[in-house]
Amino acid sequence: MTRKPLAILAGALLAVTAACTAPGSTPAAPAGSGAGGGATGSITIGIKFDQPGLGLKEGSGYSGFDVEVAKFVASELGYSANQITWKEAPSAQRETLIEGGQVQLVFATYSITDARKQRVSFAGPYFIAGQDLLVRADDTSITGPDALNGKKLCSVTGSTSAKKIKDTYSQGVDLQELDTYSKCVTALAAGTLDAVTTDNVILAGYAAQDQYKGKLKVVGKTFSTERYGVGLKKGDTALCTKVNTAIAKMVSSGAWQTALDKTVGPSGFKPSGDNPPKADPCS
Ligand code: GLU
């Protein structure tokens, strides 16, 4: 009577032992090493794909200051460069991409604003820019935002740049909103509109592109303060704190300045004296 249950018990024990031994016999794969890495083994980061000097995709390569800061931060979080998946994050889609979990972090010339804080949280800021205007090099009529009456102006849907024009300078301005700044710049160079507005550092990157050299100029009269933050899931204070620690390290080590010189430097753009900024507390 006792034999049978014992045999069953022994068999069960064997099975349990086998089950425990098999995976244990090879060291657990470090998070993210190859196919078995799972969700913790990679990170998806939202950037711009069409902003030279900030976030630019060329072939399979990515360059720009946002990309450099993102790589540094990701590395501090434990992700190597090949564990990063880059995803395009157009201005109007940034909050939605974060809310839906399609990206974990956004480094995309993404200004920290109270309205956006209703939906996402921000680490940083890691850079301070200001809104400006891009015009054709021979245009002497557009000297600043007050000189836009009767002009065709282009900006991007969901940006602080378009909002500022609508809130403050809309009277008499014909504002067109497209989904990317590069489309605005193409139209400006082609003569179908008169000016493009967004952050000075972005505009400087376009003006310095080979195809636009000598054809476009940044007006140079900024009319806003744009504090670039790192977008992340609303309320993830732990992640925000880690990102801020990483950014502080990037600044204190000199890597922030080196990255800026390498990416934004070639356009000739001179960042304002507010840089590098101090991070806001995470909340
Ligand atoms: N920094 C501004 C913003 O977050 C303009 C640039 C952009 O659209 O990415 O809206």
Side-chain angles (χ1 to χ4, degrees):
M1 259 192 69
T2 53
R3 265 190 181 173
K4 215 173 174 186
L6 258 180
I8 291 167
L9 189 66
L13 263 173
L14 247 168
V16 169
T17 314
C20 287
T21 314
S25 63
T26 45
S33 62
T40 56
S42 67
I43 187 163
T44 304
I45 299 180
I47 55 166
K48 295 297 180 71
F49 275 10
D50 70 324
Q51 294 181 192
L54 291 153
L56 186 67
K57 181 176 194 278
E58 286 174 298
S60 58
Y62 301 88
S63 66
F65 186 60
D66 282 342
V67 172
E68 293 302 317
V69 180
K71 280 200 267 189
F72 190 99
V73 168
S75 162
E76 291 297 306
L77 296 176
Y79 300 97
S80 59
N82 59 17
Q83 288 175 306
I84 302 173
T85 302
W86 301 106
K87 187 168 174 61
E88 186 173 20
S91 296
Q93 291 177 34
R94 293 174 292 199
E95 290 86 11
T96 309
L97 287 168
I98 293 167
E99 287 173 326
Q102 287 108 305
V103 299
Q104 279 76 58
L105 297 172
V106 167
F107 293 77
T109 59
Y110 195 13
S111 297
I112 301 172
T113 70
D114 287 341
R116 290 171 180 164
K117 278 192 202 166
Q118 303 291 313
R119 296 175 62 184
V120 302
S121 290
F122 288 97
Y126 60 92
F127 191 74
I128 311 281
Q131 186 168 355
D132 211 322
L133 294 162
L134 183 73
V135 297
R136 281 183 295 277
D138 60 1
D139 188 324
T140 52
S141 65
I142 302 176
T143 48
D146 297 315
L148 290 167
N149 265 358
K151 302 289 186 184
K152 283 193 188 130
L153 178 65
C154 189
S155 197
V156 162
T157 315
S159 67
T160 55
S161 322
K163 186 172 184 328
K164 180 86 173 179
I165 295 297
K166 287 187 276 192
D167 290 352
T168 318
Y169 300 100
S170 64
Q171 278 189 345
V173 183
D174 178 2
L175 178 68
Q176 262 195 52
E177 292 179 67
L178 302 180
D179 59 347
T180 64
Y181 296 107
S182 54
K183 288 181 188 164
C184 286
V185 175
T186 305
L188 173 66
T192 52
L193 45 86
D194 304 308
V196 178
T197 187
T198 188
D199 305 336
N200 48 6
V201 65
I202 301 173
L203 298 174
Y206 291 120
Q209 280 189 305
D210 280 346
Q211 70 266 38
Y212 300 130
K213 260 191 198 145
K215 298 196 172 104
L216 304 177
K217 66 177 180 192
V218 181
V219 169
K221 218 187 236 172
T222 56
F223 51 100
S224 79
T225 302
E226 305 297 323
R227 306 167 74 248
Y228 290 179
V230 183
L232 47 90
K233 203 153 236 168
K234 187 170 162 66
D236 194 341
T237 316
L239 180 57
C240 173
T241 304
K242 283 184 199 164
V243 173
N244 277 351
T245 303
I247 293 170
K249 184 173 173 184
M250 189 178 185
V251 171
S252 65
S253 68
W256 180 94
Q257 189 64 53
T258 304
L260 191 68
D261 292 347
K262 180 177 106 178
T263 54
V264 166
S267 74
F269 178 77
K270 295 278 170 277
S272 93
D274 301 333
N275 286 290
K278 260 212 162 80
D280 296 338
C282 293
S283 60

